[in-house]
Amino acid sequence: MLSGADMLVRSLQDQGVEYIYGYPGGSALHIYDAVFRQEKVKHVLVRHEQAATHMADGYARATGKPGVVLVTSGPGATNTITGIATAYMDSIPMVIISGQVMSHLIGGDAFQETDMMGVSRPVVKHNLSIQDPADIPSVIKKAFYIATTGRPGPVVIDVPKDMTTPGEEYPYEYPAEVEIRSYNPPVRGHAGQIRKAVEMLLKAKRPMIYTGGGVVLGGASEQLIEMTRALGYPITQTLMGLGSYPGSDRQFIGMLGMHGTYEANMAMHHADAILAIGARFDDRVTNNIAKFCPDAMIAQIDIDPSSISKTVQVDIPIVGPVDSVLNEMIGLIKESDIQPDKENLSNWWAQIDEWAKHHGGRYLTNDKGLMKPQQVIQCLQKLTAGDVYVTTDVGQHQMFAAQYLSFEEPNRWITSGGLGTMGFGFPAAMGIQLSFPDETVVCVTGEGSIQMNIQELSTCMQYNIPVKILNINNQSLGMVRQWQDMNYESRHSNSYMESLPDFIKLAEAYGHVGMKIEKIEDLEPMMKKALAMKDKLVFIDVYVDPSEHVYPMQVPTASMRDMWLSKTERT
Amino acid sequence: MRHILSILLENEAGALSRVVGLFSQRNYNIETLTVAPTEDPSLSRLTLTTSGDDRAIEQMTKQLNKLIEVVKLVNLSEGEHIERDLMLIKVKASGAQRAEIKRCADIFRGQIVDVTSSIYTIQLVGASSKLDAFIEAVGDANILETVRTGVSGLARGEKVLAL
Ligand SMILES: Cc1ncc(C[n+]2csc(CCOP(=O)(O)OP(=O)(O)O)c2C)c(N)n1
Ligand SMILES: [Mg+2]
């Protein structure tokens, strides 16, 4: 016999939860007491609930396991919304347990009452509220099941305080299985459609493989590599997909989309057959959908039927888990009498190589001696060579990191793609570092973004979390400034970061190490030194040219091939 | 084009608000909505009319199906179906008008369900278009009040929407 609070924590233990990230308060106090009286599940106390959600999110993205958050009602609950929305947009499995006022007070504007079911509804995969303490184990099981199966996503459990009262005890049993009659995620793709897609690919003259976060989430990296290598076709990936195919591989032609490589965007535009895998044709990828890939036949694999043909109408829809669908495709490709036409393929590659030469990730170094943000990222790449977890915040630094880092494995590149949440990177890095204490975890950030969750320096002090913060300090909200330069005649409305704190002193105030880098010749030795401090959080504050822009950049409302290549050149 | 979506929904707190919320979040419109428990108390049946082109309707049905509490869904407009809407309408009925209104109600097979010396309250059942036609026939000037249940419907023949 256990109280509701003890059942809740026991259920988390039995679910195999390692960490809870959270912050206590009135409605959650019975649960916090149950957390105190056990050791199996470790609780990490953050300094703001938003950070707890991003920590859980980072943990989930790196480990593939669901992240768990515990907060109180009212402000505790509402503070999690940005983090829940971030996870929702990128389909990250998370379970958020929020305290609630006692059930008889609900609806009466009680102290710290917020309708969390209502507030969270648009940004969760599902939410559940506890109506009877006896249901706690089964509701928790259900929440984890929904969060982790099909297209993953965050699930909120709202727990009124009187569901967890000490002394009111119930028989406890954690269900081994759960069945929800109205929820049956697809287990395999349609054989006929899969055959059609294979045929399309094998007959193509200018094929492209375009993959997204679904391959990372679906654990289908191995299958993707096998199929892509067997075909010899070019592959491009979205911001969310990076790492699921080795970045250094000859067939990888870079990220596509708004800040994609010239060759990836050109190849997409001119392709006659596109296989989209776990990618959702986001507007940051397609540019104007009316002009998207005019000559291409498109096959799309996704576990979520509503992702298929949502923005771009596809010719061959395949609903199913990416790993099993790709396995079937690989089998069919091996058996098939038709094989890719060698001559067509070598012409296609010649064309792509030509495009790659045309732009190929270049930028101009600054004659005034200011460091370029790209140089900082390239230095990080050189020193870590992919043996690193990188999280980012949002802005120019994020795009430079996507362009100039190369990932050889999935789950190591961790960024807020769908929602684009500034403030994500640092707590996400903390969540990863705690679970991988021996690995190097770097948060690539900007002086704007880092200040959105800077309070977590304190959490890092408490738990000794030695992440490396690489602050690409351009003294401005760089991405906003870039848009203002390009579209508003350089009127920099509120895109300055005036009165920046002394980040070094700030880091030191929390017992961490701070380093300021202003000269290119200091960059590599100092970054090396910082990365070598394995058990210290190091805040590396690198001053870079504030006027730099991210290129290529697609021209708004045009097709994929229409890009700015520098401040003066356009395709 | 107008579509009638018929949905079996878990009869749980909050399930209806998820359906309604989905329509506003995704910028779809709802023209009518009816909902009530079925013979199986664990299920509600919801009928919803909306409009949009084929792609929009396809997205809508996919998004609805994605809601955990949606058990089954059918687009009745895709096949032969029966649709019914019920209207109570209060109209002025005095003097020469009184007989005219009565005749009109008879033609539309309406029933007069409440009477005062100057007012008829008429109940009408049928497809929405029939109720619209009645409103037109009676004329705005004579109408005091109307209330409609919204559309509910079933597929014709052997097809059923059940577990
Ligand atoms: C929470 C939030 N608010 C606002 C934005 C809009 N936004 C996108 S990038 C950016 C500037 C980020 O500045 P910084 O972190 O310094 O990065 P930089 O672009 O300079 O590299 C802003 C304000 C956002 N993405 N997230
Ligand atoms: Mg900046």
Side-chain angles (χ1 to χ4, degrees):
Chain A
M1 300 287 279
L2 293 174
S3 74
D6 285 321
M7 284 200 292
L8 192 149
V9 176
R10 238 331 256 293
S11 300
L12 295 179
Q13 291 178 353
D14 289 347
Q15 180 64 41
V17 173
E18 302 165 284
Y19 290 100
I20 306 174
Y21 314 94
Y23 208 89
S27 299
L29 287 183
H30 299 328
I31 305 173
Y32 267 91
D33 192 55
V35 167
F36 188 86
R37 288 182 279 99
Q38 57 88 51
E39 272 165 9
K40 239 178 162 174
V41 185
K42 294 182 270 298
H43 181 276
V44 181
L45 177 71
V46 291
R47 299 300 179 265
H48 186 295
E49 290 88 348
Q50 183 190 347
T53 57
H54 295 325
M55 276 188 90
D57 186 326
Y59 166 88
R61 291 184 203 230
T63 63
K65 295 184 253 179
V68 181
V69 173
L70 174 61
V71 294
T72 189
S73 65
T78 54
N79 270 350
T80 64
I81 294 297
T82 302
I84 296 173
T86 303
Y88 180 64
M89 286 295 269
D90 290 342
S91 309
I92 306 303
M94 251 162 59
V95 172
I96 301 91
I97 300 167
S98 56
Q100 182 55 279
V101 300
M102 294 206 248
S103 29
H104 71 273
L105 296 176
I106 291 179
D109 300 322
F111 177 63
Q112 295 195 329
E113 180 188 357
T114 298
D115 173 15
M116 185 57 173
M117 295 295 284
V119 171
S120 65
R121 189 175 302 125
V123 293
V124 292
K125 181 170 176 187
H126 195 55
N127 57 19
L128 299 153
S129 76
I130 308 278
Q131 318 271 347
D132 179 347
D135 297 340
I136 286 176
S138 65
V139 171
I140 289 183
K141 180 78 190 179
K142 201 170 160 183
F144 278 92
Y145 173 63
I146 293 172
T148 53
T149 50
R151 179 180 182 172
V155 175
V156 163
I157 310 176
D158 203 40
V159 189
K161 190 172 185 180
D162 52 326
M163 300 294 121
T164 56
T165 313
E168 287 176 19
E169 298 188 339
Y170 303 82
Y172 170 83
E173 197 195 323
Y174 196 61
E177 265 167 53
V178 55
E179 225 212 84
I180 305 172
R181 64 178 173 185
S182 57
Y183 174 71
N184 299 294
V187 287
R188 56 182 304 185
H190 186 280
Q193 295 291 89
I194 293 175
R195 203 167 308 119
K196 270 199 225 163
V198 167
E199 197 177 311
M200 174 197 88
L201 277 180
L202 293 176
K203 288 185 177 163
K205 293 200 171 79
R206 298 182 307 281
M208 277 298 292
I209 298 171
Y210 145 54
T211 79
V215 176
V216 179
L217 293 164
S221 184
E222 226 173 272
Q223 288 87 345
L224 177 66
I225 295 168
E226 186 180 348
M227 186 187 73
T228 306
R229 295 224 169 112
L231 290 167
Y233 290 175
I235 173 169
T236 179
Q237 297 187 315
T238 68
L239 182 71
M240 296 308 298
L242 297 176
S244 57
Y245 190 86
S248 61
D249 191 272
R250 152 85 177 117
Q251 283 169 253
F252 180 62
I253 64 170
M255 181 171 78
L256 81 170
M258 181 172 274
H259 294 297
T261 63
Y262 178 74
E263 56 271 32
N265 285 342
M266 291 299 274
M268 282 294 282
H269 184 85
H270 292 92
D272 70 345
I274 295 172
L275 175 65
I277 313 170
R280 61 190 179 91
F281 297 85
D282 179 79
D283 51 85
R284 284 292 189 270
V285 162
T286 60
N287 212 2
N288 184 346
I289 48 171
K291 299 178 184 168
F292 179 74
C293 302
D295 303 327
M297 184 160 180
I298 305 175
Q300 184 184 5
I301 309 169
D302 205 291
I303 197 156
D304 175 5
S306 75
S307 273
I308 291 181
S309 293
K310 185 171 63 178
T311 58
V312 170
Q313 185 77 38
V314 304
D315 305 287
I316 308 172
I318 303 170
V319 178
V322 280
D323 54 350
S324 88
V325 172
L326 289 181
N327 274 333
E328 288 188 51
M329 290 184 76
I330 292 165
L332 290 173
I333 290 167
K334 283 185 184 152
E335 286 165 19
S336 175
D337 308 333
I338 328 167
Q339 285 303 322
D341 184 298
K342 289 219 169 72
E343 198 184 317
N344 278 333
L345 191 57
S346 74
N347 289 341
W348 182 223
W349 271 113
Q351 172 68 77
I352 290 170
D353 292 341
E354 186 71 25
W355 284 325
K357 257 182 261 156
H358 186 70
H359 186 259
R362 76 184 131 81
Y363 57 91
L364 298 172
T365 47
N366 193 297
D367 46 16
K368 279 183 255 153
L370 287 173
M371 235 184 296
K372 288 287 179 178
Q374 296 94 326
Q375 293 176 301
V376 183
I377 303 293
Q378 283 179 320
C379 179
L380 177 65
Q381 173 64 27
K382 183 176 169 197
L383 296 180
T384 55
D387 184 16
V388 60
Y389 286 84
V390 174
T391 71
T392 77
D393 270 302
V394 176
Q396 291 184 321
H397 63 271
Q398 177 189 31
M399 292 301 125
F400 290 133
Q403 292 177 333
Y404 292 94
L405 291 174
S406 174
F407 288 93
E408 307 305 309
E409 285 170 51
N411 307 96
R412 285 176 166 263
W413 160 251
I414 282 134
T415 193
S416 164
L419 200 67
T421 308
M422 289 171 69
F424 170 81
F426 179 29
M430 292 160 57
I432 299 164
Q433 184 80 77
L434 270 179
S435 291
F436 298 97
D438 302 327
E439 302 278 345
T440 305
V441 183
V442 178
C443 166
V444 175
T445 184
E447 75 305 313
S449 296
I450 190 66
Q451 293 191 76
M452 288 218 176
N453 268 317
I454 191 89
Q455 76 287 344
E456 297 307 315
L457 286 171
S458 171
T459 308
C460 290
M461 172 160 78
Q462 180 176 353
Y463 296 94
N464 201 1
I465 306 176
V467 298
K468 305 294 174 282
I469 298 173
L470 184 58
N471 189 34
I472 312 281
N473 193 335
N474 55 7
Q475 306 106 66
S476 77
L477 300 176
M479 189 56 94
V480 172
R481 181 187 162 115
Q482 173 167 350
W483 283 52
Q484 290 169 338
D485 286 341
M486 296 174 79
N487 305 319
Y488 301 92
E489 298 166 323
S490 297
R491 287 186 297 279
H492 295 153
S493 173
N494 293 280
S495 57
Y496 310 96
M497 263 292 162
E498 274 167 356
S499 45
L500 283 178
D502 181 335
F503 286 115
I504 311 310
K505 277 195 190 148
L506 190 63
E508 286 168 1
Y510 287 102
H512 306 308
V513 177
M515 283 184 187
K516 187 169 178 173
I517 308 180
E518 287 173 298
K519 288 193 242 91
I520 185 78
E521 52 275 23
D522 294 338
L523 180 63
E524 194 176 320
M526 288 185 72
M527 200 187 290
K528 206 179 226 167
K529 200 171 135 199
L531 293 172
M533 290 189 204
K534 291 279 177 210
D535 49 6
K536 279 282 180 194
L537 183 154
V538 187
F539 193 112
I540 316 163
D541 192 18
V542 194
Y543 277 71
V544 299
D545 183 355
S547 68
E548 185 62 356
H549 285 181
V550 185
Y551 294 108
M553 180 169 180
Q554 281 174 339
V555 177
T557 74
S559 75
M560 286 207 76
R561 71 170 160 187
D562 300 308
M563 289 166 268
W564 287 98
L565 299 178
S566 73
K567 286 185 184 172
T568 51
E569 294 162 276
R570 239 195 87 157
T571 51
Chain B
M1 205 191 115
R2 176 172 172 272
H3 289 258
I4 307 173
L5 305 181
S6 194
I7 302 168
L8 274 184
L9 191 68
E10 293 289 356
N11 190 5
E12 277 170 14
L16 179 61
S17 61
R18 255 183 254 282
V19 173
V20 176
L22 177 75
F23 274 72
S24 64
Q25 278 156 45
R26 298 209 176 252
N27 216 2
Y28 309 147
N29 71 315
I30 300 183
E31 271 149 30
T32 73
L33 174 69
T34 71
V35 59
T38 64
E39 76 287 358
D40 173 351
S42 71
L43 290 172
S44 299
R45 174 101 175 213
L46 191 148
T47 314
L48 190 151
T49 60
T50 182
S51 54
D53 60 22
D54 289 353
R55 282 195 65 188
I57 299 294
E58 188 184 328
Q59 253 305 303
M60 245 180 247
T61 54
K62 285 173 169 177
Q63 293 292 350
L64 281 166
N65 266 317
K66 221 166 111 172
L67 295 177
I68 306 289
E69 285 140 336
V70 167
V71 184
K72 273 193 177 163
L73 182 157
V74 64
N75 183 346
L76 290 178
S77 316
E78 280 173 355
E80 292 286 312
H81 63 277
I82 302 155
E83 98 173 66
R84 291 290 181 272
D85 193 351
L86 183 148
M87 173 166 71
L88 294 173
I89 179 166
K90 207 175 260 193
V91 291
K92 287 184 215 157
S94 49
Q97 243 178 349
R98 203 166 166 88
E100 182 56 35
I101 296 285
K102 169 87 171 61
R103 205 166 325 137
C104 198
D106 287 343
I107 293 169
F108 280 84
R109 300 190 187 203
Q111 287 168 276
I112 296 172
V113 291
D114 189 40
V115 181
T116 74
S117 59
S118 58
I119 288 170
Y120 279 149
T121 300
I122 303 161
Q123 172 187 306
L124 239 100
V125 177
S128 302
S129 53
K130 172 176 155 180
L131 308 193
D132 295 340
F134 182 75
I135 288 174
E136 195 154 315
V138 173
D140 274 354
N142 295 318
I143 299 174
L144 296 167
E145 191 180 2
T146 62
V147 59
R148 291 165 73 153
T149 57
V151 174
S152 54
L154 292 175
R156 280 192 185 276
E158 321 231 305
K159 272 191 246 164
V160 291
L161 182 64
L163 279 184

